[in-house]
Amino acid sequence: MSPLVRLHAAAGAAALVLVATFQIATLAVEIAGDASAIARVKTAIAWGLLALVPAMAAAGATGARLAGSPPRGLPARKAKRMKVIAANGVAILVPSALFLAMKANAGAFDAVFVAVQALEIVAGLGNATLLALNLRDGLAMRRGRLSRERRGQT
């Protein structure tokens, strides 16, 4: 496996793990946490963006490089999903994470907090699903490549 493929796989896996962790932490603290626990989780998620954004950027950039121009087949599907993931992140998830951290640290758990929290959960679950589908397709592409290599094709 080439270094670029390894970087792509690592970045994509890191992004998926981070998004899933953010979702699980959010749901768990909303169900069983108090106001200070919610504030801690929202603050941790905001800081976690410092890891998530570069992981997403690396996954997108390496994926685009690996896919070629224009991408076809599974790489094209992955690229389409990545555009939705990026738009969702830039337009909804990053601003929501920062806003919710600010509101939670101010103790302002009002209707606006709840509405933005609901939007963030839905958008986050959407991104987690799309990232998981990209992982599935990446593994299918790898299996196909390995199968061709075993048959002596490149």
Side-chain angles (χ1 to χ4, degrees), residues 14-97:
L16 178 57
V17 167
L18 286 165
V19 169
T21 300
F22 294 172
Q23 288 296 303
I24 292 166
T26 293
L27 295 171
V29 78
E30 288 295 331
I31 293 167
D34 60 6
S36 91
I38 293 170
R40 284 193 305 274
V41 166
K42 292 293 143 196
T43 300
I45 290 171
W47 281 106
L49 294 175
L50 294 175
L52 178 60
V53 170
M56 289 286 221
T62 56
R65 176 100 165 104
L66 289 165
S69 181
R72 296 188 175 125
L74 289 179
R77 285 200 303 211
K78 289 179 67 169
K80 273 186 179 177
R81 287 187 205 118
M82 203 62 193
K83 287 178 183 175
V84 174
I85 291 165
N88 196 11
V90 169
I92 299 170
L93 292 170
V94 169
S96 294

Side-chain angles (χ1 to χ4, degrees), residues 62-148:
T62 56
R65 176 100 165 104
L66 289 165
S69 181
R72 296 188 175 125
L74 289 179
R77 285 200 303 211
K78 289 179 67 169
K80 273 186 179 177
R81 287 187 205 118
M82 203 62 193
K83 287 178 183 175
V84 174
I85 291 165
N88 196 11
V90 169
I92 299 170
L93 292 170
V94 169
S96 294
L98 298 174
F99 175 79
L100 291 169
M102 180 188 70
K103 294 281 277 183
N105 282 299
F109 300 102
D110 54 13
V112 175
F113 180 92
V114 172
V116 173
Q117 178 70 43
L119 176 64
E120 183 190 48
I121 289 170
V122 170
L125 290 172
N127 268 13
T129 300
L130 294 173
L131 286 165
L133 291 171
N134 275 4
L135 174 62
R136 178 202 64 192
D137 287 349
L139 292 172
M141 290 164 53
R142 181 169 185 252
R143 279 191 303 273
R145 211 172 19 255
L146 291 174
S147 177
R148 285 190 302 278

